Amino acid sequence: MLTYRVRVLPFTIGVSFWIACLVPGVSASAAPASKPNIIIVMPDDIGYGDFSCLGNPIIHTPNIDAFQKQSVRFTNFHVSPTCAPTRAALLTGRHEFKSGVTHTIAERERLSLKATTFAQVLKADGYATGIFGKWHLGDEQAYQPERRGFDETFVHGAGGIGQSYPGSCGDAPGNTYFSPAIRHNGVFEKTDGYCTDVFFNQALTWIDAKRKADAPFFAFITPNAAHTPLQCPADYAKRHAGEVPENVARFYGMIENIDDNFGRLTAALKQWGLERDTLVIFMTDNGGTIGVPIFNAGMRGAKVTPYEGGIRVPAFWRWPAAIEGDRDVSALTAHVDVFPTIAEVVGADLSPEASRQVEGRSLVPFFKDQKVGWPNRTLVAHVGRWERGKVESFKYVGASIRDDRYALVNNTELYDLQTDPGQKTDVAAAHPDVLARLRQAYKAWWLDVLPRLENEDAVGPKVNPYKEWYEKQFGEGATAAPKG
């Protein structure tokens, strides 16, 4: 049984002093709350180049643009090449393979039941915890978010609304992006409206209730958009018609709808007096997809590749009471750093099991505008997704290991990201020492993860659990067709 103890870390002990000294206009008496509210907004399948603030010449994302201007911007922030793996690494603070997640389907998206999520840590520390949107870490009952630290759950099944695969991974039958049936605390509700609007509406309603109850909260807002199918309200789909191909226009429309909803969220926080003491993190779950041919910020690759374009994403962090905003941080950072950062922010003393699990680093030192010692590190990205029983043959396929300067891809290609961020020139022959060092580090990593691939031989149920639960609630053969 996991236990958590709470201690006050140096961050909370000294926070009033350094905020008073370092942030103009903030006095010691106006120190941030020791337990800030926390919101993570992480939409699906949107890349670094899909925002106007990051150089896209066509799309309009004014609310996210304004938010990033107020934030610490981690400009060298990395995630996994696909969605379920990123969610696993984010919530556990370690590479997803170490929690058994090597795919997005076929029971290999299930987060190990031995893993601790930071939602569990926050809940044990007195936080209300809620998830709104995409879960994608196991659709069987034992793997559902209410068993993994969330006391408010409003989620669809599988990796996307309407998806269904053999085994456990599947959504309510007949679901679409318009008026989807959503599983709310274990009971399906037939909603009314576009899915992204529905998720933000529910999140805002819940946040409002928590602030009225004066309870610290963690809201994980995870829209399934802009994942395919490219379904969005007609007025959004028309915004860029004629400027870009039709599929890209729909994709950009889905993102602009997210931007409008994100603007509603930030406006509500300000109106409710929550803005100052709420840590809001905006990021995405993997590299670019539909928009890559239009603009990819000069990066090579896209989702489902181990190149920078598949794993480098925006990461904007705003907490007015404790973060000095409007700054770029270029240090090599990643999704695995979120868990230890949040643990330090709230002063959680992790159990021995959780402490051993977490391999990321706290980003708290970057909250202040100061020089930070950040030793060189290596990060591994692996696409996974091999056929059952083919683990060893994919040891170097779809894999990269990088440090703060070089990236080794597929065990053969070496890129100097300092001089060649677009990964156009292989410099392996010119740097045999770097090649050997990164190869050795990767071999050690591979040996470490092999014993932890616990889902490789898992056998799923004959019927998707969401389908079974939906038919039990509404009758056999029932489908989640839109209302009206």
Side-chain angles (χ1 to χ4, degrees), residues 203-250:
L204 284 166
T205 298
W206 182 79
I207 290 171
D208 190 24
K210 297 307 152 190
R211 65 107 182 175
K212 289 176 179 175
D214 198 27
F217 62 82
F218 164 50
F220 194 25
I221 306 175
T222 54
N224 57 293
H227 194 290
T228 55
L230 302 174
Q231 300 174 359
C232 68
D235 57 332
Y236 284 95
K238 293 175 182 177
R239 289 185 177 187
H240 298 290
E243 291 182 272
V244 293
E246 182 180 354
N247 67 327
V248 179
R250 289 182 175 276

Side-chain angles (χ1 to χ4, degrees), residues 350-363:
L350 301 179
S351 68
E353 296 91 343
S355 294
R356 287 192 296 269
Q357 169 187 295
V358 173
E359 58 191 21
R361 299 177 179 177
S362 172
L363 302 179

Side-chain angles (χ1 to χ4, degrees), residues 8-24:
V8 180
L9 295 174
F11 177 71
T12 52
I13 291 174
V15 73
S16 62
F17 173 77
W18 65 255
I19 289 295
C21 292
L22 295 172
V23 183

Side-chain angles (χ1 to χ4, degrees), residues 40-93:
I40 298 178
V41 177
M42 188 173 71
D44 199 13
D45 271 11
I46 302 173
Y48 192 94
D50 294 326
F51 302 91
S52 49
C53 59
L54 295 175
N56 190 297
I58 295 172
I59 200 167
H60 300 296
T61 51
N63 295 298
I64 294 169
D65 295 356
F67 179 81
Q68 66 87 31
K69 183 70 175 173
Q70 302 164 354
S71 303
V72 164
R73 300 173 290 267
F74 291 96
T75 61
N76 200 14
F77 189 88
H78 291 73
V79 294
S80 306
T82 56
C83 36
T86 286
R87 285 160 170 75
L90 177 79
L91 286 168
T92 65

Side-chain angles (χ1 to χ4, degrees), residues 359-397:
E359 58 191 21
R361 299 177 179 177
S362 172
L363 302 179
V364 166
F366 294 114
F367 288 5
K368 298 178 285 184
D369 187 7
Q370 64 177 17
K371 185 176 181 180
V372 175
W374 197 249
N376 193 14
R377 69 194 302 195
T378 56
L379 296 174
V380 174
H382 199 305
V383 174
R385 304 170 78 88
W386 48 72
E387 295 178 20
R388 192 181 294 270
K390 301 287 187 179
V391 176
E392 274 298 336
S393 62
F394 275 75
K395 178 177 180 179
Y396 298 118
V397 178

